[in-house]
Amino acid sequence: MGSRAARPRIGAMPTALVTGASAGIGKTFAHQLAARGHDLVVVARDESRLEALRAELEAQHGIRVEVLPADLADRTQLGTVADRLGDRQRPVDLLVNNAGFGLRKSFIRNTVEEEEQMLDVLVRAVLVLSHAAALAMKERGAGNIVNVSSVAGFMSSGTYSAAKSWVTVFSESLAVELADTGVKVTALAPGFTRTEFHDRAGIKASQAAPDFMWLDADKLVSDGLADVDKGKVLSIPGVQYKIAAGLLRVVPRSIVRKPKLVRRHRPNKD
């Protein structure tokens, strides 16, 4: 596993580390943070795509991009990313835990190895990287952690839904723990978003949700970053999903568990 180290300089711009940066919402985060003037550390499995992204961002925005290829389901490679977050000489001001994927089949139709890999990426990686970032940021008295969750976490829709529920509750808990330290934590919980995520999961957009339920990735990320700027702990982009999330939190769980509702809302974001 290789790494292109960022060159130290005087008066460095703030640095953001984005996981799952080579595609989808993560790539959109990278573009918008670069436009804001952040230097970047981009993390994903595909080094060639990360290098292409680096060239594009540096040319367009005049910022510096460090390429850090890693499979977050691999504990050694995950540890390398955690070490980068804890590097006192090259501080990371903003962590975006975005990497993720969904499984098309239901729990008992998947192998346990497939389910464990998804859990490692959606849950364990978020835990490990948030821990490393929180320690380093608390020591400096400033920083932001953004954990990309999902409206699916308010539902009862398989292990993806369960993992995203964990991400939301974990983020809220960490925000309370870090209150008054200068470190802010935001759980970003989008709904269906137009990216290549569904193609990779083998899910047709027309089958997943009606057109009005789909979010634009650029708008989603800009709204999410606006909520981060405001210090919001939970960000739910899109009026339709604010309403949906509100209803899902108050209706009886017996309704949330309805098979028809569960089948209609399979994995939704990264």
Side-chain angles (χ1 to χ4, degrees):
M1 182 182 66
S3 173
R4 179 185 294 273
R7 299 183 296 277
R9 59 202 167 90
I10 298 173
M13 292 183 282
T15 298
L17 186 148
V18 181
T19 69
S22 63
I25 292 174
K27 187 174 182 179
T28 304
F29 262 110
H31 274 277
Q32 292 199 18
L33 289 169
R36 283 177 164 221
H38 283 71
D39 284 340
L40 290 167
V41 183
V42 289
V43 179
R45 290 180 299 174
D46 192 327
E47 185 171 4
S48 63
R49 294 184 72 168
L50 290 178
E51 287 289 357
L53 178 63
R54 178 190 65 79
E56 182 179 358
L57 293 175
E58 290 186 342
Q60 288 182 4
H61 302 288
I63 52 93
R64 300 196 179 192
V65 180
E66 177 183 346
V67 167
L68 184 53
D71 180 352
L72 299 184
D74 181 288
R75 294 195 172 202
T76 299
Q77 295 181 42
L78 176 63
T80 299
V81 181
D83 289 343
R84 177 63 185 84
L85 286 164
D87 189 336
R88 288 182 173 84
Q89 302 305 313
R90 298 178 297 160
V92 172
D93 305 281
L94 169 63
L95 165 64
V96 180
N97 273 316
N98 165 78
F101 63 93
L103 298 172
R104 184 178 184 182
K105 294 181 289 187
S106 63
F107 176 64
I108 60 173
R109 293 175 61 204
N110 292 320
T111 66
V112 71
E113 290 79 13
E114 289 171 325
E115 290 286 349
E116 285 182 314
Q117 184 182 33
M118 187 175 74
L119 193 69
D120 281 342
V121 175
L122 297 187
V123 173
R124 189 176 188 279
V126 172
L127 183 152
V128 170
L129 299 184
S130 293
H131 191 271
L135 286 175
M137 291 174 181
K138 182 181 178 182
E139 184 177 283
R140 297 194 303 271
N144 288 93
I145 298 171
V146 179
N147 292 326
V148 179
S149 185
S150 172
V151 170
F154 302 124
M155 304 183 65
S156 176
S157 185
T159 46
Y160 180 91
S161 175
K164 290 304 184 180
S165 178
W166 182 91
V167 171
T168 298
V169 175
F170 166 71
S171 301
E172 291 176 316
S173 301
L174 185 57
V176 172
E177 182 176 349
L178 294 174
D180 302 321
T181 67
V183 183
K184 306 298 182 184
V185 181
T186 300
L188 174 63
F192 292 104
T193 306
R194 296 192 186 281
T195 70
E196 63 185 68
F197 173 75
H198 290 85
D199 292 336
R200 290 161 61 190
I203 302 168
K204 292 183 178 180
S206 59
Q207 296 175 345
D211 189 66
F212 76 92
M213 293 298 290
W214 287 90
L215 300 173
D216 173 75
D218 287 330
K219 183 70 163 56
L220 183 163
V221 170
S222 63
D223 287 351
L225 288 174
D227 284 344
V228 171
D229 292 340
K230 296 171 186 174
K232 287 190 175 183
V233 175
L234 179 60
S235 172
I236 303 176
V239 173
Q240 67 273 51
Y241 287 109
K242 286 180 172 64
I243 294 171
L247 290 173
L248 287 167
R249 287 170 140 184
V250 298
V251 299
R253 294 300 294 176
S254 59
I255 294 177
V256 175
R257 292 193 298 269
K258 289 288 185 183
K260 185 180 292 185
L261 186 67
V262 169
R263 285 195 300 269
R264 189 173 182 82
H265 293 84
R266 286 300 179 189
N268 71 319
K269 61 107 210 135
D270 308 69

